[in-house]
Amino acid sequence: MSHATLTPAPPQELTAAQAHVLSAQRTDPHHAGYNVGQYIELIGPVDVDALQDALRHTLAEAPGLHFRIREEGGRLLQEPVPFDAAHWRLPRLDTTGAADPTSAAVELVREQLACPPRLDLLFGNGTGPPALTGAVLVRVGAQHHLLFQYFHQLAVDGYGVALLTRRIAEVYTAVLRGTPLPDSPFAPVSTLVDAESRYTASAQYARDRAHWAARYCDGPQLTPVRGRSAPPSDTALRRTVVLDRQTAAAVVSTARASRCTWAETIAATVAVQLNRETGTRDVVLAMYAMARTAPGTLRVPGMTVNVLPVRVAVGYEDTFAAVVERMAAEFTAVRTHQRFRGEEIVGELWPGRADAHWPGPLLNLRPFDTEVDFAGVPGHIVTLASGPVDGLSISAVRYADGRLRLDFDGNPALYDAQGLAEQAEHCVGLLRQLCREPGRALSALRAPDVVETIAPRRSGAGLSVAKSPPSGNVAPEEAGGLPLLPGTHRLRESGAPVERRQESALWEVPAGLSAVVLRRAVARLARAHPALRLKLHRLGGAAGEVWTQEVLPSALAPAVIDTETVRRVVTGRARGAQLSALIAGEARRAALALDPWTGTVLRLVWFDAGPGGPGRLLLIAHVTAADDASWQVIVPELAASYQTLLGGGGLIHGSGESGGSDETNGTASEGLHGWARRLLAEANGPERMAELPEWSALSARRGIALPPGPAHSFATAAEGCHDEWTTYVSDSSTGTKTSTDTDTSGAQRGADAHGLEVAVLTALAVVAGDEPRLRGGGLGPGLVVEREFSDPARPTRMAGGFGVAHPVRVPSPGACPTGEAVGQALSRTAGALASVPDGGRGHQQLLHLNAQTASLLADGARDVVRVVHRVRPGAAAGTVDWRPAPISECAALRAALAALPGAEPSVTGPLELTVVMNGGSDPGPRAELRWRWAAHVFSEGEARRLTAELTELITDFLPFTADPALSA
């Protein structure tokens, strides 16, 4: 294909649009807001070389894209420069290795869009041609490419970009199919310059000036959306909404009923929203106009776009149909007089606005193609940037299949991600409601619905709460620095990676959940529970690493504003092992997304099985944000919040804001900060100090001398320990192994847990008598065990990491007890547990929260047997069809996360035994025991033998734990 560059035309005047852009760019040379860009998504086979030829040929056909600015006699001229087609190359990148290849590619191009132009090159003071255009092809998957194009508005506007895109596709298709290449459709830039020169000297120019002067002679108040304006930003936050065909059809139907267009209907909605939010009845918006009414101008890839005011009256007594009709009449007037420059209108009628920008929402209603054909491969066009954003810009385009896409771009000086999400949410919800009731008075309309949106490109964004404030007293949101809790201190001292340390839960949920409502419910949950907004910070120094933490405000918390917090995965017909494998893969992905250093401490995955069957909901939280007992708070609140929002309810009081009230412990009203302060006060109080002698005595007893090696190094379960499981299907207080369990009493479950622990600790003490590697090689009688469990004094309606850990000395029963000696041994173990002061809560407080006692306990027994108590929550009370997932799926989830590096703590002692109690009446094991034997202490055969021996002893001891005296 020949790519001969056309002979450059002589220097010529700038168009008025170019002159305006150049003036603004010279005023602020570092401003990048006039960079525009898009990408074409190509899914299918692509001939990369042919695509490069098509771009090269098209760029050569449009010499108006390649020029420098020359000053001559006080005038600024555009002087074309040759385009070196022979040496032009299409850069190619590959982001398939990224976690999200498309997002990675988009961010790369956004970095390019954030770079201001080189004015030295533009004015010919540097070496090389000015870079006013560019393209890059990014491979994001197998037969999946993104063709990015970026331009400076000095060279071309949005319509001109559409011309170029169509021509690139046309040339590519002709090359691949071997058909004759159609003649170039482009007209030279001089067509625009000449048409503009004729217009300014015509009677039409005078009529247009008179129209705008009369329309705005009363100087209406220009009302920004947020009551204030800001300088245009280099880049903007984006919130995207794609209306489904049904909603889009309702918009089109409303428009046709008023003999209008869908674009005018959307503009009318924005006007109504501005009226509702600011109270103004005289709404002035801004709108892009092509200003290409002269012959031949629609064939020029150049810059003529205009920004003009749109004025419409909106009263509470009006119907939406009436507002749409007024907007249609206003659009007709704007189109008729669209060639008169908007910056002239601002300069003449509002001379105080030196920036010549409209403060109102800017509408970009694009009639351009959204789909192009590349030799049979469909190309889907996505706009990335359309020009400067002063406050709020709303772009709308209609897809070929009838759907409507709305992009809300917000100036970061005026919007954060949450605020922009709220703005988009309310606008589209209002659009849906207005189109349902176009003949109803605006004053009778309720608050708008909420719709699902796509996250801002620059940062995540969540879904907002209703605008109407809740009744009653709602505590202010918790945010700010927070003292480290004991569990976080333990995490820091482990010396192991902490990013993937997590708690998880898998639930069966009703069929046909709404993703929109679920995301809103999760956002509310995170607002209510400050632990779900925690962020860690670390500072390294010569003395070691120091950690701090804070509770992020909702506007910055990923759990609230990041739509990736909740992912929807369509399971189709996946069942059984296939579904378990899908859950396992998504669980690994969710766990890898956790990062407490950025505040990303919560992830949910909704496995949507469609309307025919129940789905699954996976919840994964970082251990700083939730412990196992937190699911008994989180899931019922989430289920209740979902049901309330689904029914159109407002804020959930009590349990829906600030953690609710805690009638049991009276601590939730204090919040997480109050809880932290309480622990600090307790740690330094006289009652805790009185416990010091007992904890010191236990701390003086060291654990076993482990073989050489990094005692605290991180290892996965597969690499660092031998992993075994024991399951007790029956009521653990009897030890009988039945297939069903009808006990639902909370008190009985507590007795079961206590009896099982007494049996477990007694069995460990028996085996340790002959196994010095468990008890520390004869360093005194008994067995030192570290217990870990959820703080029983924790706020009962607050999520968080509220674990307690403390050592306890289990007396040695001597020889393996039989007969009545079993009860006596169990009683001594129960007595040892009962003698622990305040349930062991003081040990970690004195170790981590009291500067005087910390050093005295710092060398305590650590390389000892650890017994960790956990509860598997039952069905969410008061909800419909929210229950724990089947055991097989939970086992697959457990195995997947156990194999993930960094998801579990290393085994630092000889054995870590986790006791998992079933917390409800759901079918399945009453208790499960997980044995993790340190591989550098025991061989696999030894671990299996000891597990079998201990399991047999526990099973023999369990019937004796039913003695009421033992529980007492």
Side-chain angles (χ1 to χ4, degrees), residues 938-958:
F938 298 100
S939 67
E940 183 176 0
E942 291 173 322
R944 290 183 179 276
R945 176 181 60 79
L946 288 171
T947 299
E949 182 179 353
L950 285 163
T951 300
E952 183 177 0
L953 284 175
I954 294 169
T955 303
D956 292 341
F957 291 167
L958 276 175

Side-chain angles (χ1 to χ4, degrees), residues 259-278:
R259 298 182 179 180
C260 304
T261 67
W262 63 264
E264 290 156 347
T265 305
I266 290 175
T269 302
V270 176
V272 171
Q273 184 183 22
L274 191 62
N275 163 261
R276 290 164 70 93
E277 293 181 353
T278 67

Side-chain angles (χ1 to χ4, degrees), residues 315-328:
Y316 291 113
E317 70 280 3
D318 290 327
T319 64
F320 182 58
V323 177
V324 172
E325 290 174 3
R326 287 183 204 142
M327 185 62 74

Side-chain angles (χ1 to χ4, degrees), residues 496-580:
V498 302
E499 287 76 11
R500 310 293 175 248
R501 291 289 306 278
Q502 46 73 35
E503 295 284 349
S504 64
L506 184 65
W507 289 73
E508 181 180 290
V509 293
L513 291 183
S514 164
V516 177
V517 178
L518 182 60
R519 288 191 177 100
R520 289 185 66 202
V522 171
R524 287 191 176 182
L525 186 76
R527 292 189 188 97
H529 293 279
L532 301 181
R533 294 182 275 116
L534 279 176
K535 179 180 179 181
L536 292 179
H537 301 273
R538 54 187 167 190
L539 177 65
E545 190 173 76
V546 176
W547 286 17
T548 62
Q549 66 179 351
E550 67 171 318
V551 176
L552 294 172
S554 292
L556 299 177
V560 177
I561 66 175
D562 186 358
T563 54
E564 285 299 308
T565 296
V566 181
R567 292 189 63 248
R568 173 175 174 259
V569 175
V570 178
T571 61
R573 299 181 179 179
R575 299 290 187 274
Q578 187 180 7
L579 177 59
S580 295

Side-chain angles (χ1 to χ4, degrees), residues 269-344:
T269 302
V270 176
V272 171
Q273 184 183 22
L274 191 62
N275 163 261
R276 290 164 70 93
E277 293 181 353
T278 67
T280 180
R281 298 172 66 92
D282 192 3
V283 176
V284 179
L285 310 176
M287 182 180 72
Y288 279 120
M290 292 194 304
R292 291 173 181 259
T293 60
T297 55
L298 290 175
R299 297 174 49 215
V300 183
M303 173 59 174
T304 65
V305 73
N306 198 2
V307 179
L308 293 168
V310 177
R311 185 180 187 183
V312 64
V314 180
Y316 291 113
E317 70 280 3
D318 290 327
T319 64
F320 182 58
V323 177
V324 172
E325 290 174 3
R326 287 183 204 142
M327 185 62 74
E330 181 72 359
F331 267 44
T332 298
V334 169
R335 294 190 186 101
T336 301
H337 306 285
Q338 64 178 296
R339 298 178 68 184
F340 193 89
R341 299 302 305 175
E343 55 267 22
E344 289 189 46

Side-chain angles (χ1 to χ4, degrees), residues 90 276 597:
L90 174 64
R276 290 164 70 93
W597 310 111

Side-chain angles (χ1 to χ4, degrees), residues 375-729:
V377 174
H380 176 63
I381 300 173
V382 177
T383 301
L384 295 176
S386 302
V389 177
D390 299 321
L392 177 68
S393 175
I394 304 173
S395 300
V397 68
R398 191 179 184 195
Y399 288 153
D401 61 4
R403 293 175 302 150
L404 288 171
R405 172 184 172 122
L406 278 73
D407 293 321
F408 294 80
D409 292 343
N411 188 329
L414 300 176
Y415 291 88
D416 58 16
Q418 176 68 18
L420 186 62
E422 182 177 290
Q423 190 75 36
E425 186 178 279
H426 290 168
C427 180
V428 180
L430 184 63
L431 172 65
R432 296 174 65 180
Q433 186 178 6
L434 292 171
C435 290
R436 283 198 301 266
E437 302 173 284
R440 191 174 185 183
L442 300 181
S443 59
L445 297 178
R446 58 181 174 82
D449 296 336
V450 177
V451 297
E452 184 171 4
T453 54
I454 302 173
R457 296 292 185 181
R458 281 186 47 192
S459 64
L463 299 174
S464 66
V465 298
K467 288 202 64 168
S468 55
S471 59
N473 295 322
V474 178
E477 178 179 272
E478 276 196 66
L482 179 75
L484 295 187
L485 298 178
T488 310
H489 278 289
R490 286 170 59 83
L491 200 64
R492 178 181 63 85
E493 292 180 352
S494 70
V498 302
E499 287 76 11
R500 310 293 175 248
R501 291 289 306 278
Q502 46 73 35
E503 295 284 349
S504 64
L506 184 65
W507 289 73
E508 181 180 290
V509 293
L513 291 183
S514 164
V516 177
V517 178
L518 182 60
R519 288 191 177 100
R520 289 185 66 202
V522 171
R524 287 191 176 182
L525 186 76
R527 292 189 188 97
H529 293 279
L532 301 181
R533 294 182 275 116
L534 279 176
K535 179 180 179 181
L536 292 179
H537 301 273
R538 54 187 167 190
L539 177 65
E545 190 173 76
V546 176
W547 286 17
T548 62
Q549 66 179 351
E550 67 171 318
V551 176
L552 294 172
S554 292
L556 299 177
V560 177
I561 66 175
D562 186 358
T563 54
E564 285 299 308
T565 296
V566 181
R567 292 189 63 248
R568 173 175 174 259
V569 175
V570 178
T571 61
R573 299 181 179 179
R575 299 290 187 274
Q578 187 180 7
L579 177 59
S580 295
L582 180 62
I583 291 172
E586 291 295 332
R588 287 190 292 267
R589 174 175 175 172
L592 288 171
L594 297 178
D595 185 1
W597 310 111
T598 64
T600 305
V601 295
L602 180 66
R603 280 289 188 263
L604 291 87
V605 182
W606 169 38
F607 297 92
D608 183 6
R616 303 290 186 268
L617 186 64
L618 169 66
L619 303 95
I620 293 186
H622 195 264
V623 292
T624 57
D627 54 17
D628 62 300
S630 293
W631 301 127
Q632 301 177 69
V633 177
I634 289 174
V635 175
E637 277 196 23
L638 179 62
S641 180
Y642 177 86
Q643 294 296 332
T644 301
L645 291 170
L646 191 65
L651 292 170
I652 301 174
H653 305 303
S655 64
E657 288 293 330
S658 302
S661 61
D662 192 335
E663 299 176 358
T664 303
N665 291 329
T667 52
S669 60
E670 299 173 334
L672 191 59
H673 287 79
W675 173 255
R677 289 191 296 269
R678 172 177 293 212
L679 294 185
L680 283 170
E682 289 180 1
N684 292 273
E687 293 183 2
R688 282 287 180 262
M689 296 292 284
E691 299 175 8
L692 183 60
E694 179 154 352
W695 298 125
S696 297
L698 283 170
S699 297
R701 175 180 173 83
R702 297 303 305 274
I704 61 173
L706 296 178
H712 296 284
S713 63
F714 171 79
T716 65
E719 297 168 340
C721 64
H722 309 298
D723 207 342
E724 300 282 343
W725 282 86
T726 301
T727 299
Y728 292 89
V729 180

Side-chain angles (χ1 to χ4, degrees), residues 788-836:
E788 183 177 329
F789 50 90
S790 177
D791 191 340
R794 63 180 290 151
T796 56
R797 292 175 66 181
M798 183 186 295
F802 301 119
V804 170
H806 70 88
V808 63
R809 182 171 302 169
V810 182
S812 173
C816 182
T818 59
E820 294 183 358
V822 173
Q824 297 170 358
L826 294 173
S827 294
R828 286 193 292 271
T829 300
L833 293 177
S835 66
V836 174

